[in-house]
Amino acid sequence: MISPLTSLRFLFALMVFGAHLYTIDPYFDHLFYKEGFVGVNFFFILSGFIIAYTYRDRLLEQKSTLREFWVARIARIYPLHLLTLGISVCVGGYISSDLIDWIKHFVANLFLLQPFIPAADYFFSFNSPSWSLGCEQLFYFLFPFIIGCLGKKNRILYLAGVLVIAIPIAMYFTMDQDIKAIWYVNPLTRLPDFLIGMLLFHLYDKFKQKEWTYKQASVYETAVVLLFLLFYLPAGEYIPKVFRYSCYYWLPISLLLYVFAHQKGYISRLLSNKYLVIGGEISFSFYLIHLFIIEGYNWIIRSYDLHIPYQLGIPVILIIVTGLSLLSYYYFEKPANKLVKNLLNKKK
């Protein structure tokens, strides 16, 4: 475990949480909060880094099989996905008078295919955050076939050059109504985020022996945090959303991950706090659960015509989401993960 990166997962999950608070109070209908979708960019790049960190050598040296890798990934995402999908069905996450239409949407969500379908009533149906799991599923499927290219320097540079040039150009010419379907949720166009994470690990692995002093690392950590804020704070006002969905944040997030992966400075020590690390461990549950609680809170407020100040309501919501995430992680995710691995890895 790289503790600072685990803790950062929790902080970025909180940013996603903040991006959805505009439904509770107009105070949060502000670009500073709604820009919190950058958390998804962070998760995709981090995923590429961590998967390469954990599995690259094991797969290349045949210490793990493809079956074991894919089973581990299925065990990671599907149990909680199926649970939250079931909850969403029960609370009316998608309602249609046409049974065939409902079944189509359900099957797409069941197999995490909804982000491939360029229609909001598909990719945001049922438990809407699960669209990102459809992206992760594609990343995991392709990872074993991509890792062999990491050691080929010329191919990496060529690929990086093509991505850096082609993607912003294609984004610029995308019609406004198609931006979200093409650039935000589509697994194929989010794949570069994952690839950047893999390339970032390759860079980290090559230079990780380079020693940083505590003072140097603290300066680097402070600098990358300030750089991220420099990108983040004015983005909503000055940068078109189509770029902010992906490529605009590649540089600050990559530098953030690279520097904190070394775990050498003062901020890394702060991020290694056990409670923040636990927050990172439960961030997957937090991410998939939080909208249920926000929407449930809104339903109660509307149904009973309550007027609760957001200064009181939002801390309560946050406590509930965090509590449920802890319960989910320790009493559902971990046991289910172990059970699925045991079942799927049994020899025939």
Side-chain angles (χ1 to χ4, degrees):
M1 179 187 294
I2 302 178
S3 295
L5 299 190
T6 303
S7 296
L8 284 174
R9 281 172 51 193
F10 182 59
L11 298 182
F12 277 90
L14 287 175
M15 293 178 72
V16 175
F17 174 81
H20 293 134
L21 294 180
Y22 70 93
T23 62
I24 292 177
D25 193 278
Y27 175 80
F28 296 94
D29 194 14
H30 184 278
L31 292 172
F32 174 81
Y33 298 101
K34 297 178 82 170
E35 191 70 10
F37 66 77
V38 68
V40 177
N41 302 54
F42 174 84
F43 294 144
F44 286 162
I45 296 175
L46 175 66
S47 181
F49 183 93
I50 293 298
I51 294 299
Y53 174 85
T54 306
Y55 286 103
R56 187 197 65 178
D57 293 342
R58 288 165 61 179
L59 288 174
L60 290 177
E61 296 170 9
Q62 298 183 341
K63 294 178 180 177
S64 290
T65 65
L66 290 180
R67 177 191 177 93
E68 289 170 341
F69 170 72
W70 282 324
V71 165
R73 295 300 88 208
I74 290 171
R76 171 67 175 134
I77 64 174
Y78 263 93
L80 189 59
H81 163 58
L82 295 178
L83 175 65
T84 53
L85 176 60
I87 294 171
S88 184
V89 169
C90 293
V91 300
Y94 179 74
I95 299 174
S96 175
S97 58
D98 185 341
L99 179 59
I100 299 301
D101 173 74
W102 188 92
I103 292 173
K104 288 179 180 178
H105 283 74
F106 176 78
V107 171
N109 276 265
L110 179 64
F111 295 105
L112 294 173
L113 300 175
Q114 73 272 30
F116 287 98
I117 303 170
D121 73 307
Y122 265 96
F123 54 71
F124 286 157
S125 60
F126 293 97
N127 186 27
S128 62
S130 66
W131 69 265
S132 64
L133 303 187
C135 296
E136 294 280 3
Q137 181 172 251
L138 176 70
F139 304 162
Y140 298 154
F141 175 74
L142 293 178
F143 174 78
F145 306 109
I146 298 173
I147 52 173
C149 299
L150 281 179
K152 299 174 182 177
K153 184 177 179 181
N154 291 337
R155 289 188 183 181
I156 291 175
L157 293 176
Y158 176 77
L159 175 62
V162 169
L163 292 178
V164 168
I165 295 171
I167 288 179
I169 292 174
M171 286 179 166
Y172 179 80
F173 288 104
T174 303
M175 300 292 288
D176 287 348
Q177 66 269 22
D178 298 325
I179 288 173
K180 187 164 288 186
I182 295 176
W183 295 108
Y184 187 57
V185 303
N186 190 290
L188 294 174
T189 55
R190 296 315 298 256
L191 181 60
D193 296 46
F194 184 79
L195 294 176
I196 286 170
M198 292 179 62
L199 296 175
L200 188 65
F201 168 72
H202 183 69
L203 184 68
Y204 163 82
D205 191 51
K206 185 175 181 179
F207 294 104
K208 66 182 178 183
Q209 300 303 326
K210 185 176 177 61
E211 287 296 326
W212 292 350
T213 66
Y214 173 76
K215 184 177 180 180
Q216 286 175 322
S218 297
V219 170
Y220 297 154
E221 289 174 1
T222 302
V224 294
V225 170
L226 292 175
L227 178 67
F228 176 80
L229 293 174
L230 185 64
F231 271 72
Y232 181 85
L233 294 176
E237 191 170 350
Y238 298 106
I239 307 299
K241 182 172 279 189
V242 64
F243 299 117
R244 284 152 41 217
Y245 276 154
S246 185
C247 65
Y248 174 73
Y249 285 110
W250 284 348
L251 177 63
I253 290 176
S254 294
L255 290 175
L256 203 68
L257 290 174
Y258 179 79
V259 170
F260 282 105
H262 287 79
Q263 312 178 75
K264 293 291 182 66
Y266 175 71
I267 302 178
S268 281
R269 289 189 180 179
L270 295 178
L271 291 174
S272 296
N273 175 278
K274 67 177 182 179
Y275 297 108
L276 284 176
V277 172
I278 292 172
E281 290 176 338
I282 68 170
S283 60
F284 181 46
S285 288
F286 188 99
Y287 174 73
L288 285 185
I289 289 172
H290 77 280
L291 267 186
F292 288 125
I293 309 306
I294 290 175
E295 291 172 355
Y297 175 87
N298 284 331
W299 180 83
I300 292 172
I301 293 296
R302 290 192 303 267
S303 299
Y304 296 96
D305 194 26
L306 300 177
H307 301 280
I308 301 175
Y310 72 82
Q311 294 92 337
L312 176 61
I314 289 174
V316 170
I317 293 171
L318 185 57
I319 290 171
I320 293 172
V321 174
T322 303
L324 290 175
S325 299
L326 284 165
L327 291 173
S328 169
Y329 177 71
Y330 287 107
Y331 297 104
F332 178 76
E333 277 188 72
K334 293 184 75 173
N337 185 297
K338 183 177 180 179
L339 176 64
V340 172
K341 284 182 178 178
N342 288 337
L343 288 175
L344 296 184
N345 279 323
K346 282 184 178 178
K347 295 186 181 296
K348 294 182 179 180

